């Protein structure tokens, strides 16, 4: 089954404790992105990657890091989480080319930073 | 930059009522337009899409028409069901900085359908 998976689905942590949210897709997509969803703000892009070893900032990159060492994986790293990073996070992927640039989303990771 | 404005709601309807959720956009070029749905506790699912002007996307009884002259992509359904209760997001895809094929989302509309 074609899918994007994320782990963990739920995470409660404390300020300053480094964490990683994993994302993996099995569709051989070149592009991957991370979004955060906050009430009243919709979804905003954090980082994106065009292919292995190629990443760049989205609209709200502060406080986050990413890496793309393998095509299928795109982890999101919070080196020193703060309460304002409490949010619902989605990973997404899509193939290069095509007409619509439709993106495929993972199930989400709900992060709480206390 | 690109932006999407959608009716924020919340919207509460009775079963079998007619649904419209308005969505307008600002974008350069010719974006593709999408409606995504998020059921309680779940991730985002693509509901329908349209890739060019006058295209009509449809799925599960929902429809939306890409209107370039009014820069709109309103979501409609003739008879909603309780199972349609969810948050609906309008989105457009565009290219930012020459390589970032990102989605720009509206803020979402919470729909509750009562029996």
């Amino acid at each position: 089954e074609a899918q994007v998976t994320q782990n963990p689905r739920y995470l409660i942590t404390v300020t300053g404790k480094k964490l990683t949210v994993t994302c993996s897709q099995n569709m051989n997509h070149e592009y991957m992105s991370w979004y955060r969803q906050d009430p009243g703000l919709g979804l905003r892009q954090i980082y994106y990657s065009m292919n292995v070893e190629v990443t760049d900032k989205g609209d709200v990159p502060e406080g986050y890091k990413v890496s793309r060492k393998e095509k299928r994986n795109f982890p999101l790293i919070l080196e020193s989480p703060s309460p304002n990073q409490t949010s619902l996070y989605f990973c997404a992927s899509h193939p290069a080319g095509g007409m619509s640039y439709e993106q495929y989303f993972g199930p989400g990771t709900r992060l709480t930073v206390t | 930059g690109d932006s999407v404005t959608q009716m924020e709601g919340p919207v509460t309807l009775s079963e079998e009522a007619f649904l419209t959720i308005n969505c307008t956009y600002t974008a350069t070029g010719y974006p593709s337009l999408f409606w995504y749905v998020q059921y309680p506790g779940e991730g985002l699912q693509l509901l329908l899409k349209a890739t060019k002007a006058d295209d009509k996307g449809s799925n599960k009884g929902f429809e939306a028409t890409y209107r370039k002259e009014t820069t709109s992509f309103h979501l409609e359904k003739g008879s909603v069901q309780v199972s349609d209760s969810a948050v609906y997001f309008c989105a457009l895809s565009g290219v930012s900085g020459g390589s970032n094929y990102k989605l720009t989302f509206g803020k979402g509309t919470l729909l509750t359908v009562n029996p």
Side-chain angles (χ1 to χ4, degrees):
Chain A
E1 180 190 354
Q3 59 182 350
V4 179
T5 57
Q6 295 179 227
N7 282 292
R9 294 288 312 278
Y10 302 90
L11 180 59
I12 300 174
T13 190
V14 296
T15 299
K17 185 176 181 182
K18 181 178 179 179
L19 66 92
T20 299
V21 183
T22 65
C23 172
S24 183
Q25 50 96 2
N26 62 2
M27 295 169 279
N28 202 36
H29 288 168
E30 287 77 15
Y31 285 85
M32 298 185 75
S33 290
W34 276 101
Y35 293 83
R36 61 178 287 174
Q37 181 184 1
D38 301 291
L41 295 177
L43 282 85
R44 296 173 292 168
Q45 191 188 49
I46 302 170
Y47 267 94
Y48 69 99
S49 170
M50 293 170 284
N51 215 322
V52 176
E53 302 291 2
V54 185
T55 64
D56 207 347
K57 299 176 181 178
D59 295 322
V60 288
E62 293 77 21
Y64 305 95
K65 286 177 57 177
V66 293
S67 69
R68 187 94 180 272
K69 292 183 168 47
E70 302 167 285
K71 195 173 186 179
R72 64 184 292 126
N73 296 324
F74 190 45
L76 179 69
I77 303 156
L78 286 71
E79 296 214 325
S80 184
S82 62
N84 65 11
Q85 293 178 297
T86 293
S87 188
L88 180 57
Y89 292 87
F90 289 102
C91 181
S93 72
H94 70 95
M99 289 292 294
S100 69
Y101 309 118
E102 172 189 340
Q103 296 197 17
Y104 300 81
F105 284 83
T109 295
R110 185 167 294 282
L111 172 65
T112 302
V113 183
T114 62
Chain B
D2 296 348
S3 66
V4 174
T5 302
Q6 68 177 97
M7 200 171 123
E8 289 190 23
V11 175
T12 303
L13 296 173
S14 298
E15 206 163 25
E16 299 184 3
F18 183 84
L19 168 71
T20 300
I21 301 177
N22 290 335
C23 172
T24 57
Y25 68 91
T26 302
T28 54
Y30 302 94
S32 293
L33 301 174
F34 307 88
W35 278 99
Y36 281 86
V37 59
Q38 184 178 32
Y39 297 104
E42 298 186 13
L44 287 152
Q45 301 176 27
L46 178 67
L47 181 60
L48 53 84
K49 68 181 182 184
T51 59
K52 61 184 187 297
D54 299 325
D55 266 3
K56 177 185 282 188
S58 61
N59 186 25
K60 300 182 181 179
F62 291 89
E63 293 183 338
T65 301
Y66 189 162
R67 301 285 189 201
K68 190 163 177 61
E69 64 276 11
T70 55
T71 61
S72 65
F73 192 55
H74 305 321
L75 182 68
E76 297 183 335
K77 187 175 186 182
S79 177
V80 294
Q81 305 300 310
V82 172
S83 57
D84 294 325
S85 298
V87 180
Y88 293 81
F89 291 94
C90 185
L92 65 84
S93 69
V95 181
S96 171
S99 59
N100 180 11
Y101 294 88
K102 74 173 189 180
L103 287 173
T104 298
F105 286 88
K107 295 181 179 181
T109 302
L110 173 63
L111 169 66
T112 302
V113 180
N114 295 318

